[in-house]
């Protein structure tokens, strides 16, 4: 007879882990107990030694589907003579500073619950809050840890006798399922008009009727509200755009099932896997010609963002109201997703016709995640025109937005944080990150910090993470840009917290290093829209030799003015003018190309004066602005209505063609002040020549993408020659462009580089806070040592 006290850490609460342990212990003829605590799950167990070994091996080899055991260790103790095995109540909080249990992300409805939901003989027939220990809300209803009902927003709902019996039955699927409920004892739906008046009658049937009738519904989900309409009705899709003030940015779609998704998109095996996963993200997929949806869903786009139902309510609506619904975030453009009922009625009353609400509170807002399929870059070499022998990436997705299904699961670091760190992120696609011991807790997507509403969501999110993790930060890190609201928040915190600025592109590179487990120094390629540089200019086409401890700027795109500052981002034609004027002077106005012919000659003198007098024309080395300028020059997009639109449409215009490898454009590489200065004179000369010859736009776009990739490889080779470093990290929002990413991976792989990309956090600014946290911690530790 032997006894072991087993300690498990990781995602072991809210995923059916204790019921799993109970059943496994029973099968192995073991006695003792299991209980949640503030660190994870503890198991005090005794029996024959061989049975204990089998128990531990089985626990590690086949845990519950959504569980993840990060640590498991035990100590041998004298046997106590337990006679049963039981699930004990959670240990009371002994020391709040040691609360480290991880809260599980929200989980899509499982197949067993769905069968019950649609079974007329089941007591939960059509009950929209059906769940079990394998599915349902987790993070968004958790107020505290341990993850017990009393610490969730379900604590107000007292289980009826039947639900309580399931909850306490070790053989039941709802054994210790914290959100367990039924129509007798649980939350309920209500249907309201836009003035908040409740409508009588069957809620589900009326909701279906309204959607079929072309009405806009605000629907409360797991992490917030959606705005839903029938995706096949052009009139209501256009009306939603007008009311939401979202003029062209694509709407997300929800499809009834995989077959419906395949009917409108080219899905493929990786798309299947992502769509059907328990995370249920929005997946960006190529649209099929003739897809039967309203043109206004994704005007001018070759891709659709599509997801499958992940709540019982979604499944009902998609089965009865139509195969495809628009399911876009419940907000007015540029505001965070609405998640509280009074707020929804106040903010969305001029957008939605009706509100489908419930009395199950959401504690923490959490938007839908967005991913892009990442085809293995060796899969389509014939299309790329490049042969290579680089190792293939095993990762099926590029994260665009990390939220529901992924957050708040942390990244585990090989080297622990020395202090508690709060990293405040950037302005666009903001997330914050809290570093504690071996974990980096990245918040769900918050949004663009450009208004008071989003700033309040940012501050609220930080406070809730601090409460759940039971910490106050010792260090706060922030972006160097003085105008970012996240920077101003950090600088406004109380004295006594060490405040460390982190350069934007250094943070990009280190975030990719961290998620790939890289130590030491790497060549970092950071391509994005812009980030504040140490010289006061706006960087964005950067080659760094970087580690968490510091970086050297090895090369960058040649600077160019941004006439009008922020207006040059919203009006890419200004960037095209800037490049042409910088290279050719006002003589470019004599060029016989469509861009010049369509140019508003009345605006030209003002833009020229800005650049000549260097007024409101900050200098930038941004790769994102280069993509914008080329997009405008080709007549693809001169004015944008959402961030990144010009670059997205430039990639789409390439059509995946392999033309461009025979005669790619070229960049000039020059040495200046010990750095590689990347000129774009030859690039624009080549593009102008093609435009004069009437070269098709897809070929010009493809040649441009190939030119950027070839330049990237050449600059990395030069840096390797100087540094001896062969590890290359690709980061920044420009690498959301799958064509460019695949080309760069291929060229660098052929040249013998080890290439690392993002797969756990977004490559855009949504992953930036992870790098900020690690850099601040690593740079702070030497300061501590020096002070001793």
């Amino acid at each position: 007879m032997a006894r072991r006290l087993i300690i498990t850490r990781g995602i072991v609460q809210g995923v059916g882990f204790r019921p799993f342990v109970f059943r496994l212990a029973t099968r192995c003829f073991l006695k003792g107990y299991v209980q949640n605590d503030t660190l994870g799950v503890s198991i005090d167990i005794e029996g024959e030694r061989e049975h204990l070994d089998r128990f531990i091996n089985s626990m590690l080899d086949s845990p519950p589907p959504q569980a993840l055991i990060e640590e498991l260790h035990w100590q041998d103790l004298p046997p106590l003579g337990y006679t049963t095995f039981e699930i004990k109540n959670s240990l009371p909080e002994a020391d709040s500073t040691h609360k480290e249990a991880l809260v599980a992300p929200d989980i899509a409805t499982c197949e067993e619950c769905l069968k019950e939901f649609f079974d007329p003989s089941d007591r939960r027939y059509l009950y929209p809050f059906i769940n079990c220990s394998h599915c349902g809300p987790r993070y968004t209803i958790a107020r505290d840890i341990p993850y017990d009902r009393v610490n969730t927003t379900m604590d107000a709902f007292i289980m009826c006798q039947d639900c309580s019996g399931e909850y306490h039955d070790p053989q039941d699927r709802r054994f210790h399922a914290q959100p367990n409920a039924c129509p007798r004892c649980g939350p309920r739906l209500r249907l309201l008009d836009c003035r908040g008046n409740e409508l009588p009658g069957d809620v589900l049937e009326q909701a279906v009727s309204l959607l079929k009738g072309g009405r806009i519904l605000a629907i409360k989900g797991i992490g917030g509200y959606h705005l839903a309409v029938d995706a096949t009705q052009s009139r209501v899709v256009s009306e939603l755009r007008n009311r939401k003030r979202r003029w062209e940015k694509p709407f997300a779609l929800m499809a009834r099932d995989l077959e419906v998704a395949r009917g409108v998109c080219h899905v493929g095996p990786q798309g299947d896997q992502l769509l059907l996963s328990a995370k249920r993200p929005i997946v960006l997929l190529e649209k099929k010609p003739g897809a039967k949806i309203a043109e206004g869903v994704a005007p001018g786009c070759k891709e659709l963002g599509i997801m499958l139902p992940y709540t019982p309510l979604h499944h009902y609506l998609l089965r009865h109201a139509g195969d495809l619904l628009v399911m876009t975030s419940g907000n007015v453009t540029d505001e965070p997703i609405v998640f509280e009922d009074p707020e929804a009625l106040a903010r969305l009353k001029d957008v939605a016709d009706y509100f489908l609400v419930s009395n199950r509170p959401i504690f923490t807002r959490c938007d839908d995640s967005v991913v892009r399929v990442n085809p293995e870059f060796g899969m389509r070499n014939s299309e790329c025109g490049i042969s290579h022998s680089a190792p293939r990436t095993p990762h099926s997705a590029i994260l665009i937005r990390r939220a529901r299904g992924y957050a708040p699961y942390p990244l585990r670091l090989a080297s622990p944080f020395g202090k508690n760190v709060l990293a405040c992120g950037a302005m666009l696609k903001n997330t914050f990150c809290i570093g504690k011991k071996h974990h980096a807790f990245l918040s769900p997507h918050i949004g663009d910090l450009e208004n008071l509403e989003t700033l309040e969501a940012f501050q609220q999110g930080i406070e809730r993470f601090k409460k759940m993790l039971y910490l106050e930060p010792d260090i706060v890190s922030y972006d160097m840009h003085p105008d970012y609201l996240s920077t101003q928040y950090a600088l406004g915190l109380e004295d006594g917290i060490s405040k460390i600025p982190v350069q934007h592109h250094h943070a990009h590179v280190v975030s990719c290093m961290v998620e790939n487990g890289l130590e030491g120094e790497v060549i970092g390629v950071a391509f994005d829209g812009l980030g504040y540089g140490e010289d006061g200019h706006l960087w964005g086409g950067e080659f760094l030799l970087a580690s968490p401890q510091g970086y050297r700027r090895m090369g960058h795109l040649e600077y160019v003015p941004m006439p009008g500052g922020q207006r040059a981002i919203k009006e890419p034609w200004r960037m095209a003018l800037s490049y042409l004027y910088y290279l050719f002077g006002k003589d470019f106005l004599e060029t016989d190309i469509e861009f010049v012919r369509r140019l508003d000659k009345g605006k030209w003198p003002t833009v020229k004066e800005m650049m000549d007098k260097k007024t409101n024309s900050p200098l930038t080395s941004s790769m994102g602005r280069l993509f914008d300028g080329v997009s405008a020059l080709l007549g693809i997009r001169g004015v944008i209505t959402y961030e990144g639109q010009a670059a997205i449409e430039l990639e789409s215009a390439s059509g995946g063609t392999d033309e461009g490898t025979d005669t790619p454009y070229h960049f000039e590489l020059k040495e200046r002040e010990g750095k590689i200065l990347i000129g774009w004179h030859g690039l624009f000369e080549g593009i102008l020549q093609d435009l004069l010859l009437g070269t098709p736009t897809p070929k010009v776009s493809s040649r441009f993408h190939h030119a950027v990739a070839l330049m990237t490889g050449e600059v990395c080779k030069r840096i390797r020659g100087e540094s001896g470093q062969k590890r290359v990290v690709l980061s920044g929002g420009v690498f959301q462009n799958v064509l460019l990413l695949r080309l760069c991976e291929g060229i660098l792989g052929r040249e013998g580089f080890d290439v690392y990309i993002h797969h756990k956090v977004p490559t855009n600014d949504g992953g930036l806070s992870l790098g900020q946290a690690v850099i601040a911690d690593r740079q702070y530790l030497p300061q501590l040592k020096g002070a001793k």
Side-chain angles (χ1 to χ4, degrees):
M1 182 69 68
R3 174 179 167 227
R4 290 176 183 171
L5 179 61
I6 303 170
I7 308 298
T8 60
R9 303 287 180 263
I11 297 291
V12 290
Q13 294 189 15
V15 290
F17 192 77
R18 288 180 298 167
F20 159 77
V21 167
F22 180 96
R23 289 188 286 268
L24 182 59
T26 302
R27 287 201 305 270
C28 293
F29 309 105
L30 300 171
K31 312 299 182 185
Y33 65 86
V34 59
Q35 68 183 160
N36 283 344
D37 57 35
T38 57
L39 298 175
V41 170
S42 300
I43 307 164
D44 193 342
I45 196 164
E46 63 184 32
E48 297 298 328
R49 192 171 298 276
E50 63 185 69
H51 293 166
L52 289 169
D53 291 340
R54 180 155 60 92
F55 172 83
I56 291 173
N57 290 335
S58 297
M59 190 161 49
L60 291 171
D61 292 341
S62 55
Q66 305 306 321
L68 194 149
I69 300 173
E70 289 189 342
E71 296 180 29
L72 186 150
H73 53 87
W74 71 84
Q75 63 180 116
D76 291 313
L77 297 171
L80 293 177
Y82 292 123
T83 58
T84 62
F85 193 89
E86 62 179 323
I87 295 180
K88 283 191 173 183
N89 292 333
S90 298
L91 278 174
E93 176 184 328
D95 180 356
S96 64
T97 62
H98 289 93
K99 282 202 170 187
E100 294 178 25
L102 306 182
V103 177
D106 303 303
I107 307 166
T109 308
C110 70
E111 289 299 320
E112 290 176 287
C113 282
L114 273 184
K115 289 178 184 177
E116 295 172 347
F117 179 70
F118 285 114
D119 181 358
S121 67
D122 193 277
R123 72 187 190 91
R124 291 187 177 87
Y125 175 56
L126 300 186
Y127 181 58
F129 303 96
I130 188 171
N131 66 86
C132 69
S133 59
H134 304 307
C135 69
R138 299 293 189 268
Y139 166 63
T140 51
I141 63 170
R143 291 193 302 238
D144 204 347
I145 53 174
Y147 179 75
D148 291 321
R149 192 177 181 102
V150 69
N151 290 328
T152 74
T153 61
M154 286 294 296
D155 67 333
F157 300 95
I158 307 302
M159 284 185 283
C160 65
Q161 185 175 353
D162 289 339
C163 286
S164 180
E166 294 167 332
Y167 183 87
H168 292 98
D169 181 359
Q171 305 306 317
D172 196 281
R173 200 175 79 254
R174 295 185 172 89
F175 186 39
H176 280 257
Q178 304 308 330
N180 188 32
C182 75
R184 289 176 55 194
C185 64
R188 69 180 188 93
L189 289 177
R190 293 189 300 149
L191 185 64
L192 312 178
D193 64 20
C194 60
R195 293 179 295 277
N197 300 312
E198 185 170 355
L199 276 65
D202 187 289
V203 172
L204 293 176
E205 289 182 0
Q206 287 188 90
V208 167
S209 178
L210 290 168
L211 287 169
K212 284 183 173 181
R215 298 306 186 100
I216 301 171
L217 261 65
I219 300 173
K220 187 175 182 180
I222 283 184
Y225 277 79
H226 283 115
L227 291 166
V229 299
D230 185 335
T232 65
Q233 297 188 33
S234 296
R235 183 203 61 79
V236 71
V237 171
S238 297
E239 182 64 21
L240 177 59
R241 285 205 174 278
N242 291 333
R243 294 188 193 179
K244 191 175 163 70
R245 302 198 300 273
R246 180 168 170 158
W247 310 120
E248 293 180 288
K249 189 175 183 180
F251 284 140
L253 290 174
M254 183 173 282
R256 184 190 66 202
D257 53 32
L258 193 57
E259 289 307 310
V260 172
R262 287 171 176 161
V264 294
C265 292
H266 296 285
V267 179
Q270 293 173 327
D272 285 355
Q273 181 182 12
L274 290 166
L275 286 170
L276 291 170
S277 72
K279 295 179 173 67
R280 285 294 203 276
I282 297 169
V283 184
L284 301 182
L285 297 166
E286 183 183 353
K287 181 170 67 172
K288 283 186 174 179
K292 294 180 179 179
I293 57 170
E295 178 59 32
V297 168
C301 292
K302 294 185 178 180
E303 286 186 326
L304 295 174
I306 196 160
M307 59 181 158
L308 297 185
Y310 57 85
T311 73
L313 178 58
H314 294 155
H315 282 279
Y316 181 88
L317 295 176
L318 268 297
R319 180 172 290 198
H320 296 282
D323 289 347
L324 284 164
L325 296 177
V326 167
M327 281 282 188
T328 188
S329 299
N331 59 3
V332 177
T333 295
D334 297 330
E335 293 184 2
I337 186 172
V338 171
F339 74 108
E340 294 177 322
D341 300 338
E343 179 190 28
L345 285 165
R347 293 196 180 280
L348 302 179
K349 63 180 171 36
D350 296 327
V351 180
D353 296 313
Y354 296 91
F355 290 76
L356 192 51
V357 307
S358 77
N359 58 340
R360 182 176 70 188
I362 298 169
F363 186 70
T364 304
R365 81 180 84 216
C366 196
D367 214 331
D368 295 316
S369 294
V370 182
V371 304
R372 243 188 135 164
V373 171
N374 178 26
E376 291 186 319
F377 59 80
M379 186 181 297
R380 300 172 66 190
N381 288 341
S382 60
E383 296 181 25
C384 301
I386 293 172
S387 62
H388 59 81
S389 58
R392 295 170 183 258
T393 173
H395 310 296
S396 63
I398 298 169
L399 275 166
I400 306 297
R401 187 166 79 193
R402 185 179 186 269
R404 179 189 49 76
Y406 294 85
Y409 183 69
L411 277 75
R412 185 172 176 82
L413 278 60
S415 300
F417 285 95
K419 293 283 186 177
N420 293 330
V421 182
L422 166 63
C424 295
M427 178 181 74
L428 297 179
K429 299 178 175 63
N430 178 268
T431 63
F432 61 84
C433 180
I434 290 181
K436 179 181 181 181
K437 296 187 178 179
H438 278 280
H439 289 118
F441 295 87
L442 200 70
S443 77
H445 167 83
I446 295 169
D448 298 343
L449 288 183
E450 296 181 317
N451 52 53
L452 178 61
E453 291 81 7
T454 314
L455 177 62
E456 289 175 347
F458 166 79
Q459 294 171 323
Q460 182 185 67
I462 289 175
E463 292 306 313
R464 290 187 173 180
F465 260 59
K466 284 163 54 178
K467 180 179 185 295
M468 189 167 287
L469 297 173
Y470 277 77
L471 63 75
E472 289 294 332
D474 304 301
I475 305 168
V476 60
S477 61
Y478 56 92
D479 194 275
M480 292 174 61
H481 199 301
D483 295 335
Y484 284 0
L485 292 180
S486 55
T487 297
Q488 294 171 13
Y489 167 84
L491 294 175
L493 292 176
E494 63 188 41
D495 294 336
I497 301 175
S498 297
K499 300 169 184 176
I500 298 180
V502 176
Q503 202 283 320
H504 190 93
H505 302 94
H506 186 203
H508 266 309
V509 172
V510 172
S511 71
C512 191
M513 290 181 67
V514 171
E515 68 166 274
N516 283 285
L518 301 180
E519 300 285 350
E521 202 168 55
V522 301
I523 299 172
V525 182
F527 291 167
D528 67 358
L530 59 85
Y532 198 81
E534 292 189 354
D535 58 2
H537 299 320
L538 301 176
W539 297 3
E542 309 305 311
F543 292 83
L544 310 178
L545 203 57
S547 73
Q549 286 73 30
Y551 73 94
R552 274 198 299 153
R553 194 185 192 196
M554 304 298 289
H556 60 87
L557 285 174
E558 193 169 0
Y559 285 124
V560 64
M562 283 176 58
Q566 288 293 317
R567 287 195 69 180
I569 298 174
K570 298 183 181 296
E571 301 175 4
W573 64 265
R574 292 171 178 264
M575 291 308 305
L577 275 184
S578 184
Y579 286 111
L580 295 178
Y581 182 57
Y582 185 94
L583 291 171
F584 308 114
K586 63 181 181 180
D587 292 343
F588 84 87
L589 292 170
E590 307 302 320
T591 309
D592 186 23
I593 59 173
E594 185 67 18
F595 174 78
V596 174
R597 289 194 293 270
R598 294 169 62 101
L599 183 65
D600 185 341
K601 302 302 191 292
K603 293 181 179 179
W604 161 243
T606 303
V607 174
K608 177 179 180 297
E609 184 178 17
M610 280 183 183
M611 293 187 286
D612 288 343
K613 294 185 177 181
K614 301 179 180 178
T615 303
N616 195 23
S617 295
L619 295 178
T620 184
S621 61
S622 165
M623 182 62 77
R625 300 289 78 80
L626 179 62
F627 269 73
D628 284 356
V630 172
S631 181
L633 184 59
L634 298 187
I636 295 171
R637 178 59 61 174
V639 177
I640 66 170
T641 61
Y642 62 90
E643 192 260 336
Q645 185 178 11
I648 290 168
E649 294 180 3
L650 178 61
E651 178 193 3
S652 181
S654 71
T657 177
D658 63 353
E659 296 192 59
T661 58
D662 50 350
T663 55
Y665 310 126
H666 71 277
F667 291 82
E668 304 84 43
L669 304 185
K670 301 168 280 188
E671 293 285 339
R672 184 174 299 176
E673 298 178 353
K675 297 182 179 65
I676 302 167
L677 189 66
I678 304 159
W680 19 259
H681 191 284
L683 171 76
F684 280 96
E685 279 191 334
I687 292 174
L688 287 176
Q689 184 64 28
D690 268 348
L691 291 178
L692 290 168
L693 292 172
T695 304
T697 296
K699 187 169 185 176
V700 179
S701 175
S702 182
R703 284 181 174 174
F704 170 70
H705 280 84
H706 280 79
V708 174
L710 288 166
M711 175 273 291
T712 300
E714 187 59 36
V715 174
C716 287
K717 282 165 61 179
R718 293 197 182 191
I719 297 172
R720 179 174 62 185
E722 178 180 338
S723 67
Q725 182 55 252
K726 71 171 205 171
R727 298 184 299 173
V728 176
V729 159
L730 305 178
S731 188
V734 171
F735 285 113
Q736 294 172 141
N737 182 319
V738 171
L739 173 59
L740 179 66
L741 179 66
R742 191 172 68 240
L743 290 170
C744 286
E745 286 182 311
I747 289 170
L748 291 165
R750 184 186 64 190
E751 295 293 344
F753 288 97
D754 298 326
V755 186
Y756 299 89
I757 66 171
H758 287 274
H759 53 94
K760 294 180 181 177
V761 302
T763 189
N764 57 45
D765 283 2
L768 194 81
S769 59
L770 172 62
Q772 289 178 336
V774 173
I775 291 168
D777 182 68
R778 301 300 186 266
Q779 292 185 356
Y780 184 74
L781 288 177
Q783 296 178 24
L784 282 181
K785 293 176 181 177
K788 291 181 180 179

